[in-house]
Structure formats: C-alpha cells, structure tokens
Amino acid sequence: MEGVLLAVAASLAVFALTIAYYISFRRSSCRANLPPGSFGWPIIGESIEFLFGKPEKFVGDRMRKYSPEIFKTKIFGEKTAVLCGPKGNKFIFTNEQKYFTSFRPHSMQHLFRSYKTKAAAQAQAEAEAQAQRQSSDESKMIRQPGFLKPEALMRYLRKMDSISRQQLAIHWSGKEIVQVYPMAKTLTLTLASHFFLGVNNPERIARLVKYFDDITVGMHSIMLNIPGTVFYRANKAAAFIRKELVDVIQEKKQAMADHGSPPMRDILSHLIAMAMTTTTTGPAAAAADYETADKIMGLLTAGYSTVATTITFLMKYVGLHPEIYEKVRAEQMEVALAASKKGEGEVLLEWEDMNRMKYSWNVVCETMRMVPPLQGMMREVSTEFSFGGHTVPKGWKVYWTVSTTNKNPDYFKDPERFNPSRYDEDGEAPPPYTNVPFGGGPRMCPGKEYARLAILAFLHNAVRRYKWQVLDPHEKVDGDMMPAPQNGLPIRLINY
C-alpha cells in the first residue's frame, strides 16, 4: 500500500512539475513578445507550403497577415524568424557577427557529410579534432584573400573565356535548334571543376551533371530517405559524386608524391596539402580524403547550379528583347575590338575588358532580380535580439529572402518589366538592400566575383557568334527554390 501511495505521489509531482514548466514557458514566451505567425503542423511545421508553393506567395501572404517586417514560421524542422524588406536584409547583413552564426538546413548538412568506410569511421574522433583546427584556416583561404578574390581570378579569366568558346563550339556549332539549360550546366560544371579541382576532362565532368542536379534539388527537401523521394535520390547522387571526388583526390595525391608538389592553382590542391601536413596513411588519411571531398562537393554545387540558372534565364530575357540584345552585342563588340588591338593570335579576355561590360552586367542583375538563382539563406541566432518590436530567442533561425523586395513595386517601378536600365547611373537607382542575389555583409557569397566573370565570359562569346529566338516564351518553370525551365529553354540559333 505504501508503495502504491509513493508511486501516486511521484506521478502527481511529475505532473505538477510538467504543468508548472508549461505555464512558465508560456509566460516567458509571452514576455518575450515573439514575432507573430504560426509554427504550422507538428514536426513538419510549414515546410510543405514553403517548399512546394511559390516563395514570394509564401512570404507575401504572411507579411500581409502578420507583419510586413517580421513573422515566425517553422521550416526544415526549425523555429524561424523571417526578417522582411530592406530593413530586415540590412539588419541581418550588418549584424552577422553580433547576433548570428552560419547554419545549413539538416538536409544540406546530411548530403555534404562523409559516408566513410568502417576503418575510416573508426578514425573519426581523431579526424574531427583535426578538422576543427583546419576549418577556419580553409574558410579563410577560400574567402580572403583566397581563390575567389579578384587578384586570384584575374589569372583564371583567360581560361574561362577559352572554355566558354570550346563549349559553345562543342554543343551549338552547326545546329539550328538547341537547349540552353543542358549546355549551361555542362559549361558551368566544367568551369567549376577546372577551377576548384584542377580537372580538365569534359567527359569525366559531363557524366556528373545529373547527379549534381539531384543534389541541387535535394538540398532543400524534406528528409525522407526512402526510394522514390527527392532526398533519397540526392543521397545516392552525393555518394556517387563523393566516390568520384575521392578518386580525384587520390590521383592528385599520388601525382604530388611522384613529381613533387605542383603549383597550387586550384583549391583542391591546397586542401590536400593542408590535410597531408597532419595525416599520413591509414584510416585517418582516408577520413581526411572524405572530409576534403565533402568540402569540394559543396563548392562545386554552389559554383554550378546558380551560375547555370542565371545563364539560362539571361539567354531567355535577352532573346525576348531584341533592343536589349542589340545593346549587349554592341558593347561586347566594342570589348572585342579593344581586345584585338592588344596583339596578334588568339585574343582572350583580360580584366580591364570585364570592366567595360557595364550594360551587360546590368542585364545580368535584372535577370537575377526576375528569376533569383537562390531564394535566400538561413542563419542561427547566437544572441537574442529584437527587431520590429519583437524578440527572437537564441537558438532560433533567421531567414533572409529576396522575395520580400525583388518584385516589390515600392522598390522597383513596374517590377514585372525586364528593364536593365534601372541600374544605370541616371536610372531609378533601387534602394540599398533591395536586390541582394548574393546576400550581403561578412557572409556575402564568396563566389560573387567568380559568377560575374563566368556569366559575362559566356555572354561575350554567345552574342558575338549568334542571334537567337526563344521558341516558347511561356515555357513553364519547374522548382521554386532552384528554378529551371521545364524543357531546357529551346532556342533557334542564327549564326553570324
């Protein structure tokens, strides 16, 4: 009897503590003045509406319903505050180091995490400590001064120009009807592989396009790892690419051992050299190879999908507006004429040539406003902060998105009109923090300059050789987080 009473008393105590905790939590939440909004369904939150509805509709509906400055939601399993408009963008970009740390959705974390052999997995504890020491150095190497800074890209520009010419000749020469998107993907993956890996083998790279497509879609998906799902296909693709990259790493390491360390012209060589200073052979070396493969896979994916998307829709909008095409071609012919005066033989683009492409870059910026290659990014809140009269607790996530500004008539006059002249010095001059396809602040996309050069080098060669007609101006666009024309954007080429 006494035991029963003790059990009942214990149960009542647990129940009372639970109720007290719940009431305390509710009161603290009220005192915190959390942003308005809804967390949606248990577990999945509002992820389905976010992923499968139009991003601008998802965001716009909640801005109108809750607040034009900030609202809460739950996406990718995370309590998230969406900061809206140029004020929200500015707050995030200018307070990166004060309130936020980097964060990737769990689906992305999972895809870019090594799947090691059993022997290598046993060395994980040792490798993790080493990886922590290296990670800040690697990030610094990639960002500043790094390979993606102008001073490094200057040495690579001529190769970008040459590869663009080669790819156009391979895929479009002698053809009347072509699809832009498949060629753009092959081109950008070839560029990224040459730049990041030091690999110049188009056949080896081209066969990976489908796998990178699967990863790109799977990065923003519900983590349901069963056959037939987007995430399952992305997992399979990541495993295939990871294995291919480990082969490349081992080949490069063997070449270094046989012939001495070559000039460090690509990021992979630097990552290998850094790893080799602390690992030798066995499981630790195998683990280091997989860690390096994951880092490179992330860089390749970033340097592939967004650039290919922008090139594709750039071709669409330029093809649909003959007057814009003529202005772009006139500018690029002037660039080519100035370049031809530098010397005899094959003349390739130089850094000063890119600085002459001001109108062409305006066209690219307008393309990214109309069809953002990336909808936004998440950050983790490291220190509680207030914005718009509401408090966002530590541990939550924040999300900045182009959808709150890029087609807002308050910031862009006649926003559905494709108008590159709005970026002219005497144009409309969109307010700061309204067109932010690369983000901003300390965590602005480090590949912005790389993307600019890759896109302009392609455009330079395309308009000098072809005019084109978009065969289906109303072709459906699949995907919202990563947009893609349903039929690959078929065009009719007219050779000069």
Side-chain angles (χ1 to χ4, degrees), residues 215-271:
I215 287 181
T216 299
V217 175
M219 287 192 306
H220 301 94
S221 65
I222 296 173
M223 288 182 61
L224 192 60
N225 195 28
I226 59 175
T229 64
V230 168
F231 187 73
Y232 180 84
R233 290 195 298 272
N235 246 334
K236 290 288 187 182
F240 184 91
I241 293 174
R242 186 177 291 109
K243 183 180 182 302
E244 183 72 23
L245 291 175
V246 168
D247 289 344
V248 172
I249 289 166
Q250 292 174 349
E251 291 169 12
K252 195 172 282 273
K253 286 171 69 175
Q254 187 61 51
M256 289 179 174
D258 292 343
H259 307 293
S261 296
M264 299 297 180
R265 295 194 178 97
D266 58 84
I267 292 176
L268 179 57
S269 294
H270 275 262
L271 292 178

Side-chain angles (χ1 to χ4, degrees), residues 147-215:
F147 285 87
L148 296 173
K149 294 295 180 179
E151 55 267 30
L153 290 168
M154 287 174 64
R155 300 191 297 269
Y156 184 62
L157 177 57
R158 292 170 62 85
K159 190 65 178 179
M160 275 187 172
D161 187 14
S162 177
I163 289 174
S164 295
R165 296 184 188 188
Q166 292 169 5
Q167 291 296 310
L168 283 169
I170 291 170
H171 296 285
W172 286 4
S173 181
K175 297 179 181 179
E176 181 182 1
I177 306 295
V178 297
Q179 291 176 302
V180 175
Y181 194 41
M183 191 283 295
K185 291 189 290 187
T186 301
L187 165 65
T188 54
L189 190 54
T190 301
L191 287 171
S193 298
H194 185 90
F195 184 66
F196 295 124
L197 302 180
V199 171
N200 190 16
N201 184 339
E203 292 75 21
R204 186 175 194 175
I205 302 308
R207 67 191 183 95
L208 299 179
V209 165
K210 177 187 178 301
Y211 298 99
F212 276 99
D213 284 346
D214 288 341
I215 287 181

Side-chain angles (χ1 to χ4, degrees), residues 412-457:
F412 295 94
K413 182 180 177 181
D414 196 5
E416 295 299 330
R417 178 187 172 209
F418 189 81
N419 178 23
S421 297
R422 68 173 83 241
Y423 306 100
D424 290 346
E425 292 180 1
D426 57 349
E428 300 170 17
Y433 301 101
T434 55
N435 193 18
V436 288
F438 298 101
R443 290 193 177 91
M444 175 183 282
C445 174
K448 175 183 178 180
E449 198 64 22
Y450 168 85
R452 184 178 79 93
L453 298 185
I455 295 165
L456 289 176

Side-chain angles (χ1 to χ4, degrees), residues 328-339 460 463-465:
V328 169
R329 187 168 193 272
E331 181 177 76
Q332 295 299 336
M333 294 305 291
E334 287 182 9
V335 170
L337 179 62
H460 174 76
V463 298
R464 289 177 60 209
R465 287 162 176 75

Side-chain angles (χ1 to χ4, degrees), residues 273-305:
M274 292 177 67
M276 289 176 67
T277 60
T278 52
T279 58
T280 52
T281 59
D289 287 351
Y290 276 89
E291 295 291 342
T292 300
D294 281 338
K295 291 181 177 68
I296 286 293
M297 182 163 59
L299 289 171
L300 286 172
T301 303
Y304 156 72
S305 57

Side-chain angles (χ1 to χ4, degrees), residues 96 100-104 109 378-380 397 443:
E96 288 275 16
F100 310 116
T101 60
S102 60
F103 176 80
R104 295 187 299 179
Q109 293 180 36
M378 299 179 81
R379 301 282 187 263
E380 182 166 357
K397 308 301 179 288
R443 290 193 177 91

